[in-house]
Amino acid sequence: MTNAACRRGNKLIFFGLIGLLWLVANLGQPAWGMPQQRIVSLAPALTELLFALGFDEQIVGVSAFCDHPSQARQRPSVGGMANPSLEAIVALKPDLVVMTTDGNSRETAERLEAFGIRTLIFRTRRLLEMPAAFQVFGEQLGVPGAANALAQDLQNSFTTYAAAAAHSSADKRKALFVIWPEPLVVAGPATLIDDALTLLGVDNIAADTAVAYPRFSLEEALRRAPQVVIFGSGRGMEQQAEGLLQQFSTLPSAQNLSVCFVGDALYRSGPRLGEGLAELVKCLTPRDEAP
């Protein structure tokens, strides 16, 4: 095994231990003992997680961004993630509102609690901590069996992809993940995307920046010479990306530059993360190695 593979292995073990410690620490939080009857979700990933855990009938309201699975679009909307309508939430008479630290505000949680509405806040942001976080979420909602199954499936996918990366003899590729092309915003360190690239043995060229989603100048992106440029699809991204790709065509290595678009499964800290990883693997596989 190469030194790089050893470092990746040590990194996975480290994050695995962090995830285990996080699980042990959070299992001490109170669980409510039985599934809730009326739940409002203020985050797309948590809506997906609730449906995956079997709460189809109990979900009585969602945020305007909750669009997956298709049944989520049939639930009443309570507004945006950062500024939901408290009046709409209260009118739904929930016994629980689920929230995340990514996009929902502390003020919303405090105001809901002031109304006597319980909140459950999902705090995990790192990829390798997700299986343990799913388990805690399921424990708190009274469905540990279903949550453990989801966690195990995701952990299995991590193990498979990490083993493939550790045993790969190919040189480490350099990738740039574009969040938005103009102005150019990319995925930096301590993000789900950076964690996924690391797991797959790919060098995120923005991993050394100071913030999670830095703004790059075009010159800086060109200087770092990515071999793969990845875009999140949707919202007309293909058209928005055209100008940036024309600039990248000036790279000396442009003939070998790979470009692809991936869906939102990788963005969301929910049950489709394994699907998102598979899509990213397909994106990163050189055409001459694709099956």
Side-chain angles (χ1 to χ4, degrees):
M1 185 181 294
T2 64
N3 290 336
C6 287
R7 286 195 296 273
R8 284 199 295 272
N10 291 336
K11 192 170 185 177
L12 289 172
I13 292 172
F14 171 76
F15 282 119
L17 288 173
I18 292 295
L20 179 59
L21 290 172
W22 188 91
L23 171 62
V24 171
N26 284 275
L27 279 177
Q29 293 185 4
W32 294 299
M34 60 178 295
Q36 308 301 296
Q37 298 305 310
R38 298 184 64 82
I39 305 174
V40 170
S41 170
L42 297 184
L46 299 184
T47 298
E48 294 189 29
L49 195 50
L50 288 169
F51 274 105
L53 292 174
F55 287 96
D56 307 42
E57 301 299 325
Q58 289 86 357
I59 302 170
V60 297
V62 297
S63 82
F65 296 96
C66 296
D67 57 0
H68 192 92
S70 59
Q71 302 96 301
R73 301 173 190 156
Q74 300 166 6
R75 300 298 193 273
S77 171
V78 296
M81 292 180 64
N83 58 345
S85 165
L86 292 178
E87 182 179 7
I89 295 173
V90 172
L92 291 170
K93 300 179 179 178
D95 48 20
L96 180 67
V97 175
V98 294
M99 308 173 64
T100 174
T101 49
D102 279 341
N104 300 137
S105 70
R106 178 181 296 181
E107 180 185 4
T108 298
E110 292 173 348
R111 295 183 67 182
L112 289 170
E113 289 166 1
F115 279 110
I117 299 173
R118 288 186 297 196
T119 60
L120 174 57
I121 301 176
F122 190 88
R123 302 180 184 279
T124 306
R125 295 177 173 173
R126 304 305 298 269
L127 183 68
L128 298 182
E129 295 173 1
M130 287 299 162
F134 288 1
Q135 288 178 295
V136 170
F137 194 72
E139 290 277 355
Q140 293 173 320
L141 290 172
V143 289
N148 288 341
L150 283 179
Q152 191 59 60
D153 285 348
L154 186 56
Q155 187 60 57
N156 290 344
S157 69
F158 290 169
T159 302
T160 299
Y161 290 127
H167 290 89
S168 174
S169 59
D171 292 337
K172 204 170 184 179
R173 304 181 78 197
K174 297 169 62 176
L176 178 70
F177 198 108
V178 177
I179 301 297
W180 193 250
E182 294 183 13
L184 179 57
V185 179
V186 304
T191 60
L192 282 175
I193 294 166
D194 182 60
D195 287 344
L197 292 171
T198 300
L199 179 75
L200 300 178
V202 177
D203 182 12
N204 176 13
I205 66 170
D208 63 346
T209 55
V211 297
Y213 296 100
R215 181 181 291 190
F216 265 22
S217 67
L218 180 61
E219 291 75 16
E220 180 62 17
L222 291 170
R223 186 186 70 79
R224 297 187 181 217
Q227 298 161 300
V228 184
V229 180
I230 307 162
F231 294 86
S233 61
R235 294 189 300 169
M237 180 66 88
E238 287 81 356
Q239 290 73 34
Q240 293 285 341
E242 288 179 358
L244 180 64
L245 291 176
Q246 287 178 357
Q247 297 294 330
F248 274 115
S249 68
T250 63
L251 280 171
S253 58
Q255 287 187 336
N256 297 320
L257 182 68
S258 297
V259 177
C260 58
F261 294 81
V262 297
D264 62 7
L266 190 63
Y267 297 167
R268 297 185 178 183
S269 51
R272 292 189 295 134
L273 274 172
E275 176 185 324
L277 281 171
E279 191 176 11
L280 187 58
V281 168
K282 184 178 180 181
C283 170
L284 293 166
T285 302
R287 292 176 184 173
D288 56 357
E289 295 180 13

